[in-house]
């Protein structure tokens, strides 16, 4: 069994020293670098780079550089979603971002799990767990979403939160660790439009 197969099965695998995985990560890093160096007005070139980096990206997705992934193929980004500057999607396991999602600046989504014992960690072993974010979710700036977390549809995660466990649909949640504060209700509707 290859290290990539172990990674995809959620088993402990050699994340640091496996040649195949290292080559895939190097290609993804180069595409991230190219995106960062491409003028944002060169929309066709930005789209070409993103389509190569993120083969599972939906329609009308906006991603602002700098943007970093480990692999790219494990990112599933829904239609009409927006990812602001400085996002890092550590996609060792799949990261599924629904449609019409907003991801604030400097957010991190981390699927990796490292051994707690230093001697084991130093061998390069890790395993990973997926992240699932529903449709119409807004994740504020400087948030961290940890491995294995699911965030339900229509939820708002406040800026600076560290999401360590599942958050249900239709709520406002924030903090470190992130916790549900209240539901999103009709009282949150904008009443004054200019």
């Amino acid at each position: 069994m290859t290290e990539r197969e172990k990674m995809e099965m959620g088993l402990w695998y050699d994340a640091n020293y496996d040649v195949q995985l290292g080559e895939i990560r190097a290609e993804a890093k180069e595409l991230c670098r190219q995106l960062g160096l491409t003028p944002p007005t060169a929309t066709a070139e930005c789209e070409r780079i993103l389509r190569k980096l993120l083969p599972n990206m939906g329609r009308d997705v906006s991603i602002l550089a700098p943007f970093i992934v480990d692999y790219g193929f494990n990112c599933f980004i829904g239609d009409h979603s927006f990812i602001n500057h400085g996002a890092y999607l550590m996609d060792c396991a799949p990261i599924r971002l629904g449609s019409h999602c907003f991801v604030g600046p400097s957010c991190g989504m981390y699927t990796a799990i490292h051994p707690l014992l230093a001697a084991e960690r130093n061998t390069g072993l890790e395993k990973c767990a997926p992240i699932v974010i529903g449709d119409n979710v807004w994740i504020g700036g400087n948030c961290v979403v940890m491995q294995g977390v699911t965030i339900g549809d229509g939820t708002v995660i406040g800026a600076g939160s560290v999401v360590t466990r599942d958050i249900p649909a239709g709520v406002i949640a924030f903090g470190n660790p992130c916790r549900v504060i209240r539901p999103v209700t009709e009282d949150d509707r904008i009443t004054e439009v200019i």
Side-chain angles (χ1 to χ4, degrees):
M1 181 179 308
T2 67
E3 298 305 304
R4 180 173 176 173
E5 289 169 333
K6 292 178 192 175
M7 178 181 85
E8 290 171 350
M9 294 175 65
L11 304 173
W12 291 105
Y13 69 100
D14 180 356
N16 291 347
Y17 306 111
D18 181 69
V19 173
Q20 178 193 23
L21 292 178
E23 289 171 352
I24 297 169
R25 283 194 308 271
E27 182 179 346
K29 297 299 182 218
E30 174 57 22
L31 289 168
C32 291
R33 186 189 72 80
Q34 290 175 22
L35 180 66
L37 294 174
T38 303
T41 54
T43 54
E45 180 62 6
C46 289
E47 179 75 8
R48 184 195 69 76
I49 294 167
L50 283 169
R51 289 278 166 212
K52 188 170 182 183
L53 178 64
L54 304 169
N56 298 305
M57 181 177 74
R59 294 176 292 111
D60 299 317
V61 171
S62 295
I63 298 176
L64 305 182
F67 174 71
I68 301 171
V69 296
D70 279 356
Y71 297 98
F73 63 79
N74 260 343
C75 294
F76 298 81
I77 301 172
D79 298 342
H80 311 289
S81 287
F82 172 78
I83 300 176
N84 212 323
H85 298 285
Y88 174 32
L89 278 54
M90 182 188 285
D91 62 326
C92 312
I95 296 175
R96 298 185 182 280
L97 183 68
S99 296
H100 295 278
C101 288
F102 285 10
V103 177
S106 301
C107 284
M109 299 180 192
Y110 308 132
T111 63
I113 303 165
H114 301 287
L116 297 178
L117 297 178
E120 294 174 340
R121 194 167 52 248
N122 292 342
T123 67
L125 287 176
E126 73 178 39
K127 65 179 181 175
C128 48
I131 293 171
V132 178
I133 298 169
D135 295 334
N136 301 301
V137 170
W138 174 19
I139 299 176
N142 291 297
C143 285
V144 171
V145 181
M146 298 302 293
Q147 65 275 352
V149 164
T150 296
I151 299 173
D153 294 348
T155 282
V156 176
I157 305 294
S161 295
V162 179
V163 187
T164 60
R165 57 181 167 258
D166 292 353
I167 303 292
V171 300
I172 297 170
F174 57 81
N176 181 3
C178 188
R179 64 195 182 289
V180 174
I181 303 303
R182 65 175 179 84
V184 176
T185 70
E186 282 299 310
D187 290 340
D188 294 310
R189 186 172 298 282
I190 295 173
T191 58
E192 296 177 21
V193 179
I194 299 173

